[in-house]
Amino acid sequence: MSGTLALTEQLIARASVTPDDQHCQQILIERLAPLGFACETIESHGVTNLWAVKRGTDGTNGKLLAFAGHTDVVPTGPLEQWRSPPFVPAIRDGKLYGRGAADMKTSLAGFVVASEEFVAAHPQHRGSVAFLITSDEEGPATDGTVKVVDLLEARGERLDYCIVGEPTSTATLGDVVKNGRRGSMSGKLTIKGVQGHIAYPHLAKNPVHLLAPALAELVAERWDDGNEYFPPTTWQVSNLHSGTGASNVIPGHADVLFNFRFSTASTVEGLQQRVHAILDRHGLDYDLQWTVSGLPFLTPHGELSSALEKAIRDETGVTTELSTTGGTSDGRFIARICPQVVEFGPPNGSIHKIDEHIDVAFVEPLKNVYRRVLEQLIA
């Protein structure tokens, strides 16, 4: 068994469901500290975060490459549906099964072993390498990476490169790398009407009827055309609720939950203004509360993406596609203090599913790609 696979299994065996780290980060610290990493644990409301850094010989003038990721995993779902216990790593037919195998404990193990091999081969490396690890990525993400970024920003710490170990590959290892993500903004809209008897509509105001024309306009609106890296911004209703449950009562209000997934072609302020303009144009009496859970970020093709593409090609022979599809990630926080943030990890076909797994054949190549990037950028 390879060292990377052994460490992956050790991490999978910890039932680290958000936000409980289950001492996974301590396992990482025990591997990193002997290499010369200064390890700092940052706790916030039950969330455990790790910032570990090993400075290069260039000191503060050298480039800093950070590996970022999370030790937490999503709940298992019905245990009886798993072919083997989710927190007992099992290899069957060339695949490693267990919760977190793909998302993202194999990446964490790859980060660590790649760093060990890199430091052994380049003890006088010029640049610096760091780890930014949280136990709050799969949950609210309010006490995890964002707290570490706030702390680093307050200290004036800047990162030059960051690789987030999210499972980005699709058909095979290395075919997709994320160089950005769309932003996410939600709205909670309440349309106010007047409740009344359904037989006397002239004495009431039906909020559903009032909403309908504005809703049709919001659905039909083209918010932007996207750009070179992003598809057009989308607006989707996730929930619409009204009524008392009785068939003879006109409701007094209608509640709508909706979400924008938006690109760098639009802004938070611009999208909000356009929604309000549509609602106002239809003369609606309403309340609207906004929540921005993440801003879009984009890393144009540059040093980091080029180094990663070359490492993947040299290790696997695969040609990489840069993509910004999918949901949000902690890269949205890290982009505040790092100009080049990309995500790369194993295939994502089984993430969050029953019998989550990774092909064992991908474990060592994943680690080797991470090591090759270190060698290109900070050796």
Side-chain angles (χ1 to χ4, degrees):
M1 181 181 293
S2 75
T4 315
L5 181 57
L7 180 54
T8 301
E9 292 193 354
Q10 187 180 3
L11 293 171
I12 289 174
R14 302 284 179 145
S16 54
V17 177
T18 312
D20 189 355
D21 173 67
Q22 280 285 307
H23 305 292
C24 287
Q25 291 174 32
Q26 186 58 41
I27 293 173
L28 305 186
I29 291 171
E30 289 170 1
R31 301 286 288 262
L32 295 174
L35 302 179
F37 279 82
C39 300
E40 179 180 2
T41 296
I42 303 156
E43 296 182 344
S44 178
H45 298 101
V47 172
T48 306
N49 304 296
L50 171 64
W51 170 248
V53 60
K54 185 179 189 301
R55 302 293 179 184
T57 56
D58 282 353
T60 57
N61 296 320
K63 299 286 189 178
L64 191 157
L65 186 153
F67 290 121
H70 57 90
T71 53
D72 60 315
V73 298
V74 296
T76 62
L79 292 175
E80 66 274 11
Q81 293 184 20
W82 285 74
R83 288 183 60 194
S84 55
F87 297 112
V88 178
I91 295 177
R92 297 189 300 273
D93 302 321
K95 294 179 173 59
L96 171 64
Y97 288 83
R99 176 59 86 221
D103 189 14
M104 54 176 285
K105 291 183 174 180
T106 304
S107 295
L108 295 179
F111 289 164
V112 170
V113 179
S115 298
E116 290 174 335
E117 294 179 356
F118 172 74
V119 170
H122 305 276
Q124 299 301 313
H125 55 91
R126 300 190 313 276
S128 301
V129 58
F131 282 67
L132 198 171
I133 310 297
T134 184
S135 68
D136 183 35
E137 196 274 345
E138 299 289 8
T142 54
D143 290 282
T145 298
V146 65
K147 292 294 186 183
V148 182
V149 168
D150 288 344
L151 179 62
L152 297 177
E153 194 170 33
R155 294 175 179 175
E157 182 84 74
R158 296 283 296 177
L159 316 181
D160 296 287
Y161 316 108
C162 181
I163 299 176
V164 186
E166 290 293 339
T168 60
S169 302
T170 55
T172 191
L173 180 68
D175 57 356
V176 176
V177 167
K178 306 286 187 181
N179 66 321
R181 294 277 190 163
R182 294 177 296 174
S184 178
M185 176 168 63
S186 297
K188 182 179 181 181
L189 172 65
T190 298
I191 305 297
K192 302 176 184 178
V194 176
Q195 183 174 312
H197 196 293
I198 208 159
Y200 303 95
H202 60 289
L203 299 178
K205 290 173 64 176
N206 193 317
V208 178
H209 294 188
L210 296 172
L211 167 65
L215 183 61
E217 187 172 343
L218 288 165
V219 170
E221 184 76 2
R222 188 169 182 85
W223 303 99
D224 60 43
D225 295 320
N227 54 35
E228 177 186 359
Y229 293 100
F230 288 97
T233 291
T234 61
W235 183 89
Q236 290 289 316
V237 171
S238 57
N239 188 281
L240 196 158
H241 176 77
S242 188
T244 64
S247 62
N248 62 349
V249 178
I250 292 172
H253 62 87
D255 298 317
V256 183
L257 302 180
F258 63 83
N259 179 267
F260 278 106
R261 291 301 166 103
F262 63 104
S263 73
T264 52
S266 290
T267 65
V268 167
E269 296 76 16
L271 294 172
Q272 290 180 357
Q273 289 170 6
R274 290 170 65 183
V275 170
H276 282 285
I278 291 172
L279 298 174
D280 293 341
R281 187 159 58 247
H282 288 271
L284 298 174
D285 184 8
Y286 67 91
D287 288 328
L288 178 52
Q289 300 174 13
W290 294 97
T291 302
V292 180
S293 57
L295 295 174
F297 74 92
L298 174 67
T299 299
H301 199 277
E303 288 178 292
L304 180 55
S305 59
S306 294
L308 191 50
E309 287 171 345
K310 183 179 187 305
I312 291 169
R313 185 172 59 251
D314 290 348
E315 181 66 31
T316 69
V318 172
T319 299
T320 296
E321 172 194 355
L322 295 179
S323 171
T324 61
T325 58
T328 59
S329 79
D330 278 0
R332 67 191 189 272
F333 304 125
I334 301 168
R336 284 169 35 198
I337 60 171
C338 183
Q340 298 188 56
V341 180
V342 298
E343 303 172 25
F344 168 62
N348 54 27
S350 70
I351 63 173
H352 294 203
K353 293 183 177 181
I354 301 293
D355 288 337
E356 180 180 349
H357 62 271
I358 181 176
D359 285 358
V360 173
F362 291 152
V363 173
E364 282 301 294
L366 177 66
K367 175 264 296 179
N368 291 340
V369 169
Y370 293 146
R371 190 197 67 243
R372 287 175 183 268
V373 174
L374 287 171
E375 291 168 345
Q376 288 183 67
L377 295 178
I378 67 168

